[in-house]
Amino acid sequence: MTTAAALVAEEPRLHYLNESYGVRSWLLTTDHKRVGLLYLISLTGAFFVGGFFAVMLRVELLTPAGDLLQAETYNKFFTMHGVIMVFFFLVPSIPAVLGNFVLPLMIGARDVAFPRLNLLSWYLYVLGASFTTYAVVSGGVDTGWTFYTPYSTMSSTTQVMPTAIGIFIVGFSSILTGLNFVVTIHRMRAPGLTWFRLPLFVWSLYATSLIQILATPVLAITVMLLGLERLLHVGIFDPALGGDPVLFQHLFWFYSHPAVYIMILPGMGVISELVTCFARKRIFGYHYVAFSSIAIAVFGFLVWGHHLFVAGQSVYAAMVFSLLSYLVAIPSAVKVFNWTATLHKGTLEFRTPLLYALGFIGLFTIGGLTGLFLASLGMDVHVTDTYFVIAHFHYIMVGGMVMGYLGGVHYWWPKISGRMYPEGWGRLAALIIFIGFNLTFFPQFILGYLGMPRRYHAYPDEFQVLNVMSTAGASILGVGYLLPMIYLLWSLRYGEPAGNNPWDATGLEWQTPSPPPRDNFEVTPVVTGEPYAYPGREPAHG
């Protein structure tokens, strides 16, 4: 018999995705989750535009002769690849996308401290990206992403100023995001959520935010001085005008080396979450991992000079920067050791996020160890401006940070979308990316050691085999990056419902429905225990 109750259709649960559908509701949203998704869409676009330039570079390098791109075009392509990837994808990626979405959820808050400021940050990102897009479509820029003077201020005839203005604006987006996160973490934690009950991803976001607030203004000042010299011919960096080009390198790298940690620290935080969840164990040495994030942030401000070993700084200064560069390896090594110790004798579940975490640990370790080579004065002089530096940088930034980003996206995707993705495709994509990445960049270590300089569109014949291997790897890597785009979009419509906590994880974000309601929690949670109460064997806080 049909009852009246059965005839009443069940009301769909309201959550942040279906509470309103209009474009206006998205463009004027102050919900941190929607702002995170706006960043996700914007950054994905930037990633594939930057990736297009990388593909063109690798295709050009298939043959020794410069037959696809002229030297001038090649210079523009590697510059635009670097500018877009560094300033519009790598720096904002994990904080702006994953940090925005999960930080308030992880600390039991309803939103970030300044929701309108959060939306303004995204608009600043879009405005900065618009200036840079204009620079790209109106002829491009050829200075390299480092904008070294006096070439960028006096000699280059390309779109230096629109690019610099775009970077200047996007810097404010970064500063405001960092400021928002620091205040949120200090003031909006749930009752009982003390500092040493915070998830390690929150610790990493806190350390990252400090760097964003303190270092990014230096970049803004540097770009402004560059503009003054280029437009008004004020002698700041150009020796012909009484300036000092090494001063530019000091200022640029005072921001840009800490910026490396803006990129990698959040990825480390993601890996800490993934390792403990899929090993079903408490994190080994919680306090050490947390404090190592702060130590990396502090040391990061003291090592910029290792980029100037061949730029004319004094030998004594170079020795000090060399020593400090070795010191920054210690907190990084602490993290790798503690992740490995957490995995040891854990009950490992080889789900997609863990595969990305394992890839991160392996590739970051290689990138970190080769960084020690570059911290050594003698070795650095030998491989400066060669493909060895390119390979080292990409092992940290792409092998490390992008693996962390994709691991985090797969880990929190069920919470973001309320749907599961096909696990088999997820594992396959992780494997393809790992293989493709190593085939792309490991040959570049050898090329650099053999002396192939970077930023040349033509090279001697004896380097062709390794370059063909690298281009073949890039093709595989490109397929690996496209796959998640396809199956994650597919899962939005066809994926299995995720449930509140598909991973049986312990964080507060998993105690609210998937997708979360507008205000995250119906009742503010009260925290009474440690952050990783898994049944593993390690003590709570080692």
Side-chain angles (χ1 to χ4, degrees):
M1 185 176 68
T2 304
T3 65
L7 294 173
V8 178
E10 186 180 351
E11 286 288 330
R13 182 180 64 82
L14 277 180
H15 49 76
Y16 81 101
L17 288 173
N18 67 3
E19 63 169 3
S20 55
Y21 290 102
V23 174
R24 180 186 172 88
S25 72
W26 279 87
L27 294 181
L28 298 179
T29 185
T30 54
D31 184 344
H32 67 97
K33 300 180 288 297
R34 285 193 168 197
V35 173
L37 292 192
L38 291 174
Y39 271 115
L40 175 64
I41 296 167
S42 311
L43 268 68
T44 302
F47 178 78
F48 282 100
V49 173
F52 163 77
F53 290 116
V55 168
M56 295 303 293
L57 299 177
R58 286 311 326 165
V59 173
E60 164 57 45
L61 293 173
L62 260 177
T63 57
D67 37 19
L68 177 65
L69 303 175
Q70 296 300 311
E72 295 79 7
T73 310
Y74 187 85
N75 291 347
K76 291 178 180 177
F77 275 31
F78 73 67
T79 298
M80 292 183 287
H81 167 68
V83 166
I84 293 171
M85 283 301 198
V86 170
F87 296 107
F88 295 93
F89 176 72
L90 290 170
V91 167
S93 57
I94 293 182
V97 177
L98 299 177
N100 255 314
F101 194 94
V102 300
L103 173 61
L105 289 163
M106 294 182 96
I107 64 172
R110 296 177 62 173
D111 209 317
V112 291
F114 307 114
R116 290 186 177 84
L117 204 62
N118 200 25
L119 180 62
L120 175 63
S121 301
W122 178 71
Y123 275 106
L124 288 173
Y125 173 87
V126 172
L127 183 62
S130 301
F131 272 93
T132 303
T133 302
Y134 167 75
V136 171
V137 299
S138 60
V141 61
D142 67 349
T143 59
W145 74 275
T146 49
F147 295 96
Y148 274 1
T149 56
Y151 180 72
S152 62
T153 56
M154 291 300 170
S155 303
S156 176
T157 57
T158 57
Q159 299 290 350
V160 175
M161 283 314 299
T163 312
I165 293 171
I167 293 169
F168 182 83
I169 293 172
V170 84
F172 285 94
S173 169
S174 186
I175 293 169
L176 295 181
T177 298
L179 180 67
N180 220 336
F181 284 2
V182 167
V183 178
T184 302
I185 295 168
H186 270 275
R187 304 295 299 173
M188 300 185 70
R189 302 194 306 274
L193 188 58
T194 59
W195 281 94
F196 293 112
R197 288 176 176 172
L198 282 174
L200 290 166
F201 182 55
V202 177
W203 272 100
S204 72
L205 285 178
Y206 186 79
T208 304
S209 300
L210 294 178
I211 305 174
Q212 287 175 301
I213 295 170
L214 297 174
T216 311
V218 178
L219 176 70
I221 293 167
T222 308
V223 170
M224 193 166 64
L225 293 175
L226 184 153
L228 281 175
E229 182 167 284
R230 185 174 174 87
L231 296 176
L232 305 176
H233 302 288
V234 178
I236 302 169
F237 304 122
D238 186 356
L241 300 174
D244 182 358
V246 179
L247 172 63
F248 175 85
Q249 294 194 34
H250 277 291
L251 291 171
F252 180 84
W253 288 112
F254 184 82
Y255 163 79
S256 294
H257 196 82
V260 169
Y261 301 112
I262 294 176
M263 301 180 226
I264 197 65
L265 266 173
M268 292 173 162
V270 169
I271 300 309
S272 296
E273 299 297 322
L274 303 186
V275 163
T276 184
C277 175
F278 293 100
R280 321 307 302 173
K281 276 177 64 180
R282 296 174 172 89
I283 194 80
F284 182 87
Y286 172 93
H287 286 86
Y288 293 105
V289 179
F291 282 123
S292 64
S293 294
I294 304 299
I296 289 172
V298 172
F299 280 124
F301 281 100
L302 306 175
V303 297
W304 80 90
H306 71 223
H307 293 275
L308 283 75
F309 283 166
V310 297
Q313 70 179 352
S314 81
V315 175
Y316 299 106
M319 290 171 62
V320 171
F321 282 120
S322 175
L323 176 63
L324 290 170
S325 300
Y326 281 117
L327 290 180
V328 80
I330 295 173
S332 302
V334 166
K335 286 182 180 290
V336 173
F337 175 80
N338 282 282
W339 294 328
T340 310
T342 305
L343 291 168
H344 179 61
K345 293 187 178 179
T347 308
L348 301 185
E349 294 181 52
F350 288 96
R351 308 294 290 266
T352 302
L354 181 62
L355 296 187
Y356 280 109
L358 295 176
F360 176 102
I361 294 171
L363 300 179
F364 174 77
T365 301
I366 294 173
L369 289 174
T370 51
L372 296 179
F373 288 33
L374 296 172
S376 162
L377 278 170
M379 182 71 186
D380 184 83
V381 170
H382 177 66
V383 297
T384 287
D385 281 338
T386 71
Y387 266 83
F388 190 94
V389 178
I390 299 285
H392 158 72
F393 182 77
H394 284 79
Y395 262 83
I396 295 290
M397 290 296 102
V398 182
M401 183 269 147
V402 177
M403 293 292 269
Y405 176 68
L406 288 174
V409 167
H410 284 79
Y411 180 59
W412 283 299
W413 186 255
K415 183 58 60 181
I416 293 171
S417 67
R419 300 282 179 172
M420 297 300 292
Y421 48 81
E423 182 66 26
W425 283 104
R427 292 174 182 169
L428 179 64
L431 187 63
I432 290 174
I433 289 173
F434 184 79
I435 294 171
F437 176 86
N438 279 294
L439 190 55
T440 304
F441 292 105
F442 196 82
Q444 295 181 14
F445 278 126
I446 305 171
L447 283 169
Y449 184 76
L450 293 175
M452 178 169 169
R454 60 179 178 172
R455 300 180 173 179
Y456 281 79
H457 76 311
Y459 55 84
D461 292 345
E462 59 262 35
F463 294 141
Q464 185 174 15
V465 172
L466 291 168
N467 271 294
V468 169
M469 288 174 63
S470 188
T471 301
S475 306
I476 297 170
L477 190 58
V479 172
Y481 285 143
L482 281 173
L483 279 178
M485 277 282 294
I486 296 169
Y487 64 70
L488 290 179
L489 288 174
W490 177 90
S491 73
L492 290 174
R493 185 174 180 85
Y494 302 107
E496 294 289 329
N500 294 352
N501 189 1
W503 313 123
D504 291 327
T506 59
L508 289 180
E509 75 270 29
W510 302 107
Q511 295 180 18
T512 192
S514 305
R518 170 66 177 83
D519 293 327
N520 294 344
F521 300 94
E522 292 184 2
V523 178
T524 302
V526 177
V527 180
T528 58
E530 62 187 90
Y532 303 107
Y534 293 104
R537 296 171 41 176
E538 301 302 336
H541 297 155

